[in-house]
PDB file of all heavy atoms in Angstrom:
ATOM      1  N   GLN Y 871      80.006 125.823  98.153  1.00  0.00           N
ATOM      2  CA  GLN Y 871      79.577 126.353  99.444  1.00  0.00           C
ATOM      3  C   GLN Y 871      78.700 125.318 100.133  1.00  0.00           C
ATOM      4  O   GLN Y 871      77.492 125.368 100.111  1.00  0.00           O
ATOM      5  CB  GLN Y 871      78.827 127.676  99.266  1.00  0.00           C
ATOM      6  CG  GLN Y 871      78.692 128.453 100.581  1.00  0.00           C
ATOM      7  CD  GLN Y 871      78.203 129.853 100.336  1.00  0.00           C
ATOM      8  OE1 GLN Y 871      78.092 130.270  99.188  1.00  0.00           O
ATOM      9  NE2 GLN Y 871      77.926 130.570 101.388  1.00  0.00           N
ATOM     10  N   HIS Y 872      79.330 124.370 100.771  1.00  0.00           N
ATOM     11  CA  HIS Y 872      78.656 123.214 101.326  1.00  0.00           C
ATOM     12  C   HIS Y 872      77.644 123.590 102.397  1.00  0.00           C
ATOM     13  O   HIS Y 872      76.607 122.968 102.547  1.00  0.00           O
ATOM     14  CB  HIS Y 872      79.707 122.248 101.893  1.00  0.00           C
ATOM     15  CG  HIS Y 872      79.122 120.969 102.410  1.00  0.00           C
ATOM     16  ND1 HIS Y 872      78.641 120.844 103.688  1.00  0.00           N
ATOM     17  CD2 HIS Y 872      78.941 119.768 101.788  1.00  0.00           C
ATOM     18  CE1 HIS Y 872      78.193 119.627 103.860  1.00  0.00           C
ATOM     19  NE2 HIS Y 872      78.354 118.950 102.734  1.00  0.00           N
ATOM     20  N   ASP Y 873      77.893 124.656 103.164  1.00  0.00           N
ATOM     21  CA  ASP Y 873      77.058 124.951 104.319  1.00  0.00           C
ATOM     22  C   ASP Y 873      75.693 125.521 103.962  1.00  0.00           C
ATOM     23  O   ASP Y 873      74.841 125.662 104.823  1.00  0.00           O
ATOM     24  CB  ASP Y 873      77.785 125.902 105.273  1.00  0.00           C
ATOM     25  CG  ASP Y 873      78.199 127.189 104.608  1.00  0.00           C
ATOM     26  OD1 ASP Y 873      78.104 127.253 103.378  1.00  0.00           O
ATOM     27  OD2 ASP Y 873      78.618 128.113 105.320  1.00  0.00           O
ATOM     28  N   ILE Y 874      75.396 125.855 102.663  1.00  0.00           N
ATOM     29  CA  ILE Y 874      74.082 126.375 102.313  1.00  0.00           C
ATOM     30  C   ILE Y 874      73.181 125.278 101.768  1.00  0.00           C
ATOM     31  O   ILE Y 874      72.068 125.526 101.334  1.00  0.00           O
ATOM     32  CB  ILE Y 874      74.187 127.505 101.273  1.00  0.00           C
ATOM     33  CG1 ILE Y 874      74.674 126.968  99.924  1.00  0.00           C
ATOM     34  CG2 ILE Y 874      75.062 128.626 101.758  1.00  0.00           C
ATOM     35  CD1 ILE Y 874      74.600 127.994  98.808  1.00  0.00           C
ATOM     36  N   CYS Y 875      73.652 124.033 101.760  1.00  0.00           N
ATOM     37  CA  CYS Y 875      72.914 122.945 101.137  1.00  0.00           C
ATOM     38  C   CYS Y 875      72.073 122.170 102.137  1.00  0.00           C
ATOM     39  O   CYS Y 875      71.747 121.012 101.918  1.00  0.00           O
ATOM     40  CB  CYS Y 875      73.873 121.978 100.441  1.00  0.00           C
ATOM     41  SG  CYS Y 875      74.802 122.776  99.126  1.00  0.00           S
ATOM     42  N   VAL Y 876      71.788 122.732 103.278  1.00  0.00           N
ATOM     43  CA  VAL Y 876      70.985 122.039 104.286  1.00  0.00           C
ATOM     44  C   VAL Y 876      69.605 121.736 103.713  1.00  0.00           C
ATOM     45  O   VAL Y 876      68.933 122.603 103.154  1.00  0.00           O
ATOM     46  CB  VAL Y 876      70.852 122.903 105.555  1.00  0.00           C
ATOM     47  CG1 VAL Y 876      69.976 122.194 106.578  1.00  0.00           C
ATOM     48  CG2 VAL Y 876      72.226 123.203 106.113  1.00  0.00           C
ATOM     49  N   GLY Y 877      69.185 120.492 103.852  1.00  0.00           N
ATOM     50  CA  GLY Y 877      67.853 120.092 103.410  1.00  0.00           C
ATOM     51  C   GLY Y 877      67.801 119.598 101.984  1.00  0.00           C
ATOM     52  O   GLY Y 877      66.787 119.081 101.554  1.00  0.00           O
ATOM     53  N   LEU Y 878      68.919 119.751 101.219  1.00  0.00           N
ATOM     54  CA  LEU Y 878      68.928 119.287  99.840  1.00  0.00           C
ATOM     55  C   LEU Y 878      69.402 117.847  99.775  1.00  0.00           C
ATOM     56  O   LEU Y 878      70.191 117.396 100.612  1.00  0.00           O
ATOM     57  CB  LEU Y 878      69.846 120.170  98.991  1.00  0.00           C
ATOM     58  CG  LEU Y 878      69.417 121.651  98.865  1.00  0.00           C
ATOM     59  CD1 LEU Y 878      70.421 122.396  98.017  1.00  0.00           C
ATOM     60  CD2 LEU Y 878      68.023 121.747  98.243  1.00  0.00           C
ATOM     61  N   LYS Y 879      68.971 117.147  98.805  1.00  0.00           N
ATOM     62  CA  LYS Y 879      69.362 115.760  98.635  1.00  0.00           C
ATOM     63  C   LYS Y 879      70.837 115.678  98.272  1.00  0.00           C
ATOM     64  O   LYS Y 879      71.314 116.397  97.399  1.00  0.00           O
ATOM     65  CB  LYS Y 879      68.517 115.133  97.530  1.00  0.00           C
ATOM     66  CG  LYS Y 879      68.817 113.653  97.312  1.00  0.00           C
ATOM     67  CD  LYS Y 879      67.926 113.105  96.215  1.00  0.00           C
ATOM     68  CE  LYS Y 879      68.236 111.640  95.953  1.00  0.00           C
ATOM     69  NZ  LYS Y 879      67.396 111.082  94.873  1.00  0.00           N
ATOM     70  N   HIS Y 880      71.575 114.805  98.974  1.00  0.00           N
ATOM     71  CA  HIS Y 880      73.019 114.666  98.723  1.00  0.00           C
ATOM     72  C   HIS Y 880      73.265 113.801  97.497  1.00  0.00           C
ATOM     73  O   HIS Y 880      72.686 112.725  97.361  1.00  0.00           O
ATOM     74  CB  HIS Y 880      73.707 114.023  99.931  1.00  0.00           C
ATOM     75  CG  HIS Y 880      75.160 113.721  99.677  1.00  0.00           C
ATOM     76  ND1 HIS Y 880      76.087 114.703  99.515  1.00  0.00           N
ATOM     77  CD2 HIS Y 880      75.792 112.526  99.553  1.00  0.00           C
ATOM     78  CE1 HIS Y 880      77.268 114.146  99.319  1.00  0.00           C
ATOM     79  NE2 HIS Y 880      77.114 112.825  99.320  1.00  0.00           N
ATOM     80  N   THR Y 881      74.086 114.305  96.590  1.00  0.00           N
ATOM     81  CA  THR Y 881      74.473 113.555  95.406  1.00  0.00           C
ATOM     82  C   THR Y 881      75.953 113.255  95.492  1.00  0.00           C
ATOM     83  O   THR Y 881      76.754 114.183  95.664  1.00  0.00           O
ATOM     84  CB  THR Y 881      74.210 114.369  94.126  1.00  0.00           C
ATOM     85  OG1 THR Y 881      72.823 114.703  94.102  1.00  0.00           O
ATOM     86  CG2 THR Y 881      74.588 113.573  92.890  1.00  0.00           C
ATOM     87  N   PRO Y 882      76.390 112.002  95.431  1.00  0.00           N
ATOM     88  CA  PRO Y 882      77.816 111.670  95.527  1.00  0.00           C
ATOM     89  C   PRO Y 882      78.612 112.396  94.454  1.00  0.00           C
ATOM     90  O   PRO Y 882      78.145 112.556  93.324  1.00  0.00           O
ATOM     91  CB  PRO Y 882      77.844 110.149  95.294  1.00  0.00           C
ATOM     92  CG  PRO Y 882      76.462 109.691  95.624  1.00  0.00           C
ATOM     93  CD  PRO Y 882      75.555 110.808  95.209  1.00  0.00           C
ATOM     94  N   PRO Y 883      79.809 112.876  94.784  1.00  0.00           N
ATOM     95  CA  PRO Y 883      80.626 113.586  93.794  1.00  0.00           C
ATOM     96  C   PRO Y 883      81.089 112.648  92.700  1.00  0.00           C
ATOM     97  O   PRO Y 883      81.214 111.443  92.893  1.00  0.00           O
ATOM     98  CB  PRO Y 883      81.820 114.090  94.628  1.00  0.00           C
ATOM     99  CG  PRO Y 883      81.907 113.156  95.792  1.00  0.00           C
ATOM    100  CD  PRO Y 883      80.502 112.766  96.088  1.00  0.00           C
ATOM    101  N   SER Y 884      81.323 113.242  91.556  1.00  0.00           N
ATOM    102  CA  SER Y 884      81.817 112.487  90.405  1.00  0.00           C
ATOM    103  C   SER Y 884      83.220 111.985  90.685  1.00  0.00           C
ATOM    104  O   SER Y 884      83.989 112.630  91.387  1.00  0.00           O
ATOM    105  CB  SER Y 884      81.813 113.408  89.173  1.00  0.00           C
ATOM    106  OG  SER Y 884      82.611 112.857  88.155  1.00  0.00           O
ATOM    107  N   PRO Y 885      83.580 110.824  90.106  1.00  0.00           N
ATOM    108  CA  PRO Y 885      84.957 110.331  90.283  1.00  0.00           C
ATOM    109  C   PRO Y 885      85.988 111.307  89.761  1.00  0.00           C
ATOM    110  O   PRO Y 885      87.152 111.236  90.126  1.00  0.00           O
ATOM    111  CB  PRO Y 885      84.969 109.019  89.467  1.00  0.00           C
ATOM    112  CG  PRO Y 885      83.537 108.619  89.350  1.00  0.00           C
ATOM    113  CD  PRO Y 885      82.748 109.885  89.327  1.00  0.00           C
ATOM    114  N   HIS Y 886      85.597 112.221  88.901  1.00  0.00           N
ATOM    115  CA  HIS Y 886      86.550 113.183  88.330  1.00  0.00           C
ATOM    116  C   HIS Y 886      86.605 114.470  89.145  1.00  0.00           C
ATOM    117  O   HIS Y 886      87.358 115.377  88.835  1.00  0.00           O
ATOM    118  CB  HIS Y 886      86.153 113.503  86.879  1.00  0.00           C
ATOM    119  CG  HIS Y 886      86.082 112.276  86.011  1.00  0.00           C
ATOM    120  ND1 HIS Y 886      87.193 111.554  85.650  1.00  0.00           N
ATOM    121  CD2 HIS Y 886      85.013 111.637  85.465  1.00  0.00           C
ATOM    122  CE1 HIS Y 886      86.834 110.526  84.894  1.00  0.00           C
ATOM    123  NE2 HIS Y 886      85.510 110.549  84.758  1.00  0.00           N
ATOM    124  N   THR Y 887      85.773 114.552  90.193  1.00  0.00           N
ATOM    125  CA  THR Y 887      85.785 115.768  91.007  1.00  0.00           C
ATOM    126  C   THR Y 887      87.012 115.770  91.906  1.00  0.00           C
ATOM    127  O   THR Y 887      87.313 114.774  92.553  1.00  0.00           O
ATOM    128  CB  THR Y 887      84.521 115.848  91.888  1.00  0.00           C
ATOM    129  OG1 THR Y 887      83.385 115.761  91.040  1.00  0.00           O
ATOM    130  CG2 THR Y 887      84.507 117.127  92.684  1.00  0.00           C
ATOM    131  N   VAL Y 888      87.767 116.884  91.972  1.00  0.00           N
ATOM    132  CA  VAL Y 888      88.954 117.004  92.809  1.00  0.00           C
ATOM    133  C   VAL Y 888      88.542 117.456  94.201  1.00  0.00           C
ATOM    134  O   VAL Y 888      87.910 118.502  94.343  1.00  0.00           O
ATOM    135  CB  VAL Y 888      89.960 118.029  92.218  1.00  0.00           C
ATOM    136  CG1 VAL Y 888      91.163 118.172  93.137  1.00  0.00           C
ATOM    137  CG2 VAL Y 888      90.391 117.594  90.834  1.00  0.00           C
ATOM    138  N   PRO Y 889      88.812 116.675  95.270  1.00  0.00           N
ATOM    139  CA  PRO Y 889      88.399 117.064  96.614  1.00  0.00           C
ATOM    140  C   PRO Y 889      89.178 118.269  97.107  1.00  0.00           C
ATOM    141  O   PRO Y 889      90.320 118.491  96.728  1.00  0.00           O
ATOM    142  CB  PRO Y 889      88.732 115.821  97.450  1.00  0.00           C
ATOM    143  CG  PRO Y 889      89.814 115.119  96.702  1.00  0.00           C
ATOM    144  CD  PRO Y 889      89.541 115.383  95.260  1.00  0.00           C
ATOM    145  N   VAL Y 890      88.544 119.031  97.957  1.00  0.00           N
ATOM    146  CA  VAL Y 890      89.186 120.211  98.534  1.00  0.00           C
ATOM    147  C   VAL Y 890      90.049 119.772  99.721  1.00  0.00           C
ATOM    148  O   VAL Y 890      89.578 119.072 100.608  1.00  0.00           O
ATOM    149  CB  VAL Y 890      88.141 121.236  99.014  1.00  0.00           C
ATOM    150  CG1 VAL Y 890      88.819 122.429  99.663  1.00  0.00           C
ATOM    151  CG2 VAL Y 890      87.286 121.681  97.842  1.00  0.00           C
ATOM    152  N   VAL Y 891      91.337 120.133  99.751  1.00  0.00           N
ATOM    153  CA  VAL Y 891      92.270 119.712 100.792  1.00  0.00           C
ATOM    154  C   VAL Y 891      92.643 120.913 101.652  1.00  0.00           C
ATOM    155  O   VAL Y 891      92.987 121.966 101.129  1.00  0.00           O
ATOM    156  CB  VAL Y 891      93.542 119.087 100.168  1.00  0.00           C
ATOM    157  CG1 VAL Y 891      94.515 118.712 101.261  1.00  0.00           C
ATOM    158  CG2 VAL Y 891      93.176 117.872  99.326  1.00  0.00           C
ATOM    159  N   SER Y 892      92.577 120.767 102.963  1.00  0.00           N
ATOM    160  CA  SER Y 892      92.852 121.888 103.870  1.00  0.00           C
ATOM    161  C   SER Y 892      94.238 121.825 104.495  1.00  0.00           C
ATOM    162  O   SER Y 892      94.583 122.678 105.299  1.00  0.00           O
ATOM    163  CB  SER Y 892      91.802 121.914 104.987  1.00  0.00           C
ATOM    164  OG  SER Y 892      91.828 120.690 105.713  1.00  0.00           O
ATOM    165  N   LYS Y 893      95.023 120.809 104.164  1.00  0.00           N
ATOM    166  CA  LYS Y 893      96.353 120.678 104.754  1.00  0.00           C
ATOM    167  C   LYS Y 893      97.280 121.786 104.287  1.00  0.00           C
ATOM    168  O   LYS Y 893      97.219 122.225 103.145  1.00  0.00           O
ATOM    169  CB  LYS Y 893      96.968 119.324 104.380  1.00  0.00           C
ATOM    170  CG  LYS Y 893      96.393 118.143 105.127  1.00  0.00           C
ATOM    171  CD  LYS Y 893      97.174 116.885 104.770  1.00  0.00           C
ATOM    172  CE  LYS Y 893      96.650 115.684 105.541  1.00  0.00           C
ATOM    173  NZ  LYS Y 893      97.431 114.464 105.218  1.00  0.00           N
ATOM    174  N   ARG Y 894      98.182 122.183 105.208  1.00  0.00           N
ATOM    175  CA  ARG Y 894      99.198 123.169 104.835  1.00  0.00           C
ATOM    176  C   ARG Y 894     100.266 122.521 103.967  1.00  0.00           C
ATOM    177  O   ARG Y 894     100.526 121.317 104.055  1.00  0.00           O
ATOM    178  CB  ARG Y 894      99.858 123.742 106.090  1.00  0.00           C
ATOM    179  CG  ARG Y 894      99.051 124.789 106.810  1.00  0.00           C
ATOM    180  CD  ARG Y 894      99.959 125.740 107.587  1.00  0.00           C
ATOM    181  NE  ARG Y 894     100.753 125.062 108.598  1.00  0.00           N
ATOM    182  CZ  ARG Y 894     101.875 125.567 109.093  1.00  0.00           C
ATOM    183  NH1 ARG Y 894     102.350 126.717 108.639  1.00  0.00           N
ATOM    184  NH2 ARG Y 894     102.538 124.920 110.033  1.00  0.00           N
ATOM    185  N   ASP Y 895     100.910 123.332 103.171  1.00  0.00           N
ATOM    186  CA  ASP Y 895     102.008 122.857 102.339  1.00  0.00           C
ATOM    187  C   ASP Y 895     103.127 122.337 103.233  1.00  0.00           C
ATOM    188  O   ASP Y 895     103.500 122.964 104.227  1.00  0.00           O
ATOM    189  CB  ASP Y 895     102.519 124.008 101.466  1.00  0.00           C
ATOM    190  CG  ASP Y 895     103.669 123.589 100.585  1.00  0.00           C
ATOM    191  OD1 ASP Y 895     103.446 122.891  99.588  1.00  0.00           O
ATOM    192  OD2 ASP Y 895     104.819 123.967 100.913  1.00  0.00           O
ATOM    193  N   TYR Y 896     103.693 121.166 102.894  1.00  0.00           N
ATOM    194  CA  TYR Y 896     104.713 120.554 103.738  1.00  0.00           C
ATOM    195  C   TYR Y 896     105.960 121.435 103.847  1.00  0.00           C
ATOM    196  O   TYR Y 896     106.611 121.483 104.893  1.00  0.00           O
ATOM    197  CB  TYR Y 896     105.096 119.183 103.187  1.00  0.00           C
ATOM    198  CG  TYR Y 896     104.057 118.107 103.425  1.00  0.00           C
ATOM    199  CD1 TYR Y 896     103.870 117.062 102.516  1.00  0.00           C
ATOM    200  CD2 TYR Y 896     103.274 118.121 104.571  1.00  0.00           C
ATOM    201  CE1 TYR Y 896     102.923 116.062 102.734  1.00  0.00           C
ATOM    202  CE2 TYR Y 896     102.325 117.127 104.803  1.00  0.00           C
ATOM    203  CZ  TYR Y 896     102.155 116.107 103.881  1.00  0.00           C
ATOM    204  OH  TYR Y 896     101.223 115.129 104.117  1.00  0.00           O
ATOM    205  N   TYR Y 897     106.328 122.103 102.777  1.00  0.00           N
ATOM    206  CA  TYR Y 897     107.491 122.997 102.831  1.00  0.00           C
ATOM    207  C   TYR Y 897     107.218 124.170 103.770  1.00  0.00           C
ATOM    208  O   TYR Y 897     108.099 124.618 104.518  1.00  0.00           O
ATOM    209  CB  TYR Y 897     107.831 123.522 101.436  1.00  0.00           C
ATOM    210  CG  TYR Y 897     108.371 122.466 100.501  1.00  0.00           C
ATOM    211  CD1 TYR Y 897     107.545 121.833  99.571  1.00  0.00           C
ATOM    212  CD2 TYR Y 897     109.714 122.097 100.549  1.00  0.00           C
ATOM    213  CE1 TYR Y 897     108.033 120.861  98.706  1.00  0.00           C
ATOM    214  CE2 TYR Y 897     110.221 121.129  99.693  1.00  0.00           C
ATOM    215  CZ  TYR Y 897     109.377 120.513  98.771  1.00  0.00           C
ATOM    216  OH  TYR Y 897     109.867 119.557  97.932  1.00  0.00           O
ATOM    217  N   GLU Y 898     106.010 124.653 103.742  1.00  0.00           N
ATOM    218  CA  GLU Y 898     105.608 125.739 104.642  1.00  0.00           C
ATOM    219  C   GLU Y 898     105.647 125.271 106.097  1.00  0.00           C
ATOM    220  O   GLU Y 898     106.068 126.005 106.995  1.00  0.00           O
ATOM    221  CB  GLU Y 898     104.204 126.216 104.280  1.00  0.00           C
ATOM    222  CG  GLU Y 898     103.694 127.361 105.170  1.00  0.00           C
ATOM    223  CD  GLU Y 898     102.246 127.707 104.875  1.00  0.00           C
ATOM    224  OE1 GLU Y 898     101.761 127.352 103.777  1.00  0.00           O
ATOM    225  OE2 GLU Y 898     101.602 128.314 105.749  1.00  0.00           O
ATOM    226  N   VAL Y 899     105.206 124.034 106.332  1.00  0.00           N
ATOM    227  CA  VAL Y 899     105.208 123.485 107.691  1.00  0.00           C
ATOM    228  C   VAL Y 899     106.623 123.481 108.269  1.00  0.00           C
ATOM    229  O   VAL Y 899     106.841 123.852 109.428  1.00  0.00           O
ATOM    230  CB  VAL Y 899     104.622 122.058 107.699  1.00  0.00           C
ATOM    231  CG1 VAL Y 899     104.851 121.390 109.059  1.00  0.00           C
ATOM    232  CG2 VAL Y 899     103.143 122.092 107.365  1.00  0.00           C
ATOM    233  N   LEU Y 900     107.595 123.047 107.466  1.00  0.00           N
ATOM    234  CA  LEU Y 900     108.982 122.980 107.938  1.00  0.00           C
ATOM    235  C   LEU Y 900     109.721 124.310 107.800  1.00  0.00           C
ATOM    236  O   LEU Y 900     110.849 124.452 108.293  1.00  0.00           O
ATOM    237  CB  LEU Y 900     109.751 121.894 107.174  1.00  0.00           C
ATOM    238  CG  LEU Y 900     109.272 120.455 107.387  1.00  0.00           C
ATOM    239  CD1 LEU Y 900     110.156 119.484 106.615  1.00  0.00           C
ATOM    240  CD2 LEU Y 900     109.273 120.095 108.859  1.00  0.00           C
ATOM    241  N   GLY Y 901     109.099 125.267 107.118  1.00  0.00           N
ATOM    242  CA  GLY Y 901     109.724 126.576 106.976  1.00  0.00           C
ATOM    243  C   GLY Y 901     110.932 126.578 106.065  1.00  0.00           C
ATOM    244  O   GLY Y 901     111.898 127.302 106.310  1.00  0.00           O
ATOM    245  N   VAL Y 902     110.905 125.754 105.007  1.00  0.00           N
ATOM    246  CA  VAL Y 902     112.022 125.675 104.069  1.00  0.00           C
ATOM    247  C   VAL Y 902     111.534 125.956 102.652  1.00  0.00           C
ATOM    248  O   VAL Y 902     110.339 125.842 102.346  1.00  0.00           O
ATOM    249  CB  VAL Y 902     112.706 124.285 104.109  1.00  0.00           C
ATOM    250  CG1 VAL Y 902     113.329 124.035 105.478  1.00  0.00           C
ATOM    251  CG2 VAL Y 902     111.721 123.174 103.760  1.00  0.00           C
ATOM    252  N   ASP Y 903     112.461 126.288 101.791  1.00  0.00           N
ATOM    253  CA  ASP Y 903     112.159 126.537 100.380  1.00  0.00           C
ATOM    254  C   ASP Y 903     112.028 125.214  99.645  1.00  0.00           C
ATOM    255  O   ASP Y 903     112.548 124.183 100.081  1.00  0.00           O
ATOM    256  CB  ASP Y 903     113.297 127.374  99.761  1.00  0.00           C
ATOM    257  CG  ASP Y 903     112.977 127.816  98.352  1.00  0.00           C
ATOM    258  OD1 ASP Y 903     112.237 128.805  98.202  1.00  0.00           O
ATOM    259  OD2 ASP Y 903     113.453 127.157  97.413  1.00  0.00           O
ATOM    260  N   ARG Y 904     111.324 125.224  98.517  1.00  0.00           N
ATOM    261  CA  ARG Y 904     111.155 124.000  97.727  1.00  0.00           C
ATOM    262  C   ARG Y 904     112.478 123.499  97.161  1.00  0.00           C
ATOM    263  O   ARG Y 904     112.594 122.335  96.783  1.00  0.00           O
ATOM    264  CB  ARG Y 904     110.161 124.228  96.585  1.00  0.00           C
ATOM    265  CG  ARG Y 904     108.718 124.300  97.068  1.00  0.00           C
ATOM    266  CD  ARG Y 904     107.721 124.425  95.942  1.00  0.00           C
ATOM    267  NE  ARG Y 904     106.363 124.276  96.435  1.00  0.00           N
ATOM    268  CZ  ARG Y 904     105.724 123.130  96.551  1.00  0.00           C
ATOM    269  NH1 ARG Y 904     106.328 122.005  96.176  1.00  0.00           N
ATOM    270  NH2 ARG Y 904     104.495 123.075  97.035  1.00  0.00           N
ATOM    271  N   LYS Y 905     113.475 124.351  97.091  1.00  0.00           N
ATOM    272  CA  LYS Y 905     114.794 123.943  96.610  1.00  0.00           C
ATOM    273  C   LYS Y 905     115.722 123.573  97.767  1.00  0.00           C
ATOM    274  O   LYS Y 905     116.929 123.412  97.570  1.00  0.00           O
ATOM    275  CB  LYS Y 905     115.416 125.063  95.777  1.00  0.00           C
ATOM    276  CG  LYS Y 905     114.631 125.392  94.511  1.00  0.00           C
ATOM    277  CD  LYS Y 905     115.310 126.502  93.720  1.00  0.00           C
ATOM    278  CE  LYS Y 905     114.531 126.844  92.448  1.00  0.00           C
ATOM    279  NZ  LYS Y 905     115.175 127.940  91.679  1.00  0.00           N
ATOM    280  N   ALA Y 906     115.185 123.441  98.973  1.00  0.00           N
ATOM    281  CA  ALA Y 906     116.001 123.139 100.149  1.00  0.00           C
ATOM    282  C   ALA Y 906     116.696 121.790  99.998  1.00  0.00           C
ATOM    283  O   ALA Y 906     116.142 120.843  99.447  1.00  0.00           O
ATOM    284  CB  ALA Y 906     115.128 123.141 101.411  1.00  0.00           C
ATOM    285  N   SER Y 907     117.932 121.721 100.503  1.00  0.00           N
ATOM    286  CA  SER Y 907     118.687 120.479 100.442  1.00  0.00           C
ATOM    287  C   SER Y 907     118.190 119.497 101.500  1.00  0.00           C
ATOM    288  O   SER Y 907     117.410 119.847 102.390  1.00  0.00           O
ATOM    289  CB  SER Y 907     120.176 120.749 100.674  1.00  0.00           C
ATOM    290  OG  SER Y 907     120.389 121.212 102.004  1.00  0.00           O
ATOM    291  N   GLU Y 908     118.658 118.261 101.392  1.00  0.00           N
ATOM    292  CA  GLU Y 908     118.279 117.232 102.374  1.00  0.00           C
ATOM    293  C   GLU Y 908     118.700 117.637 103.783  1.00  0.00           C
ATOM    294  O   GLU Y 908     117.955 117.464 104.749  1.00  0.00           O
ATOM    295  CB  GLU Y 908     118.932 115.902 101.985  1.00  0.00           C
ATOM    296  CG  GLU Y 908     118.564 114.746 102.919  1.00  0.00           C
ATOM    297  CD  GLU Y 908     119.240 113.451 102.501  1.00  0.00           C
ATOM    298  OE1 GLU Y 908     119.819 113.408 101.395  1.00  0.00           O
ATOM    299  OE2 GLU Y 908     119.200 112.485 103.296  1.00  0.00           O
ATOM    300  N   ASN Y 909     119.906 118.217 103.895  1.00  0.00           N
ATOM    301  CA  ASN Y 909     120.385 118.643 105.214  1.00  0.00           C
ATOM    302  C   ASN Y 909     119.553 119.797 105.771  1.00  0.00           C
ATOM    303  O   ASN Y 909     119.314 119.876 106.986  1.00  0.00           O
ATOM    304  CB  ASN Y 909     121.856 119.059 105.137  1.00  0.00           C
ATOM    305  CG  ASN Y 909     122.782 117.871 105.025  1.00  0.00           C
ATOM    306  OD1 ASN Y 909     122.430 116.753 105.422  1.00  0.00           O
ATOM    307  ND2 ASN Y 909     123.962 118.077 104.482  1.00  0.00           N
TER     308      ASN Y 909
END
């Protein structure tokens, strides 16, 4: 919960920390199933 950390000292994330990604799934963007053909 990043927004409650106001005023706290920032500590760089560990190299093993997985960043949070907000992008939509590419298959969802195109509206196709994961088994969709090239065509």
Side-chain angles (χ1 to χ4, degrees):
Q871 195 169 353
H872 184 274
D873 57 349
I874 68 171
C875 298
V876 178
L878 297 179
K879 182 179 178 181
H880 174 68
T881 302
S884 164
H886 303 291
T887 304
V888 178
V890 178
V891 178
S892 59
K893 285 186 178 181
R894 281 207 299 158
D895 179 75
Y896 286 148
Y897 291 98
E898 180 186 340
V899 170
L900 295 182
V902 296
D903 187 80
R904 286 184 171 272
K905 297 181 180 179
S907 66
E908 182 180 349
N909 285 337

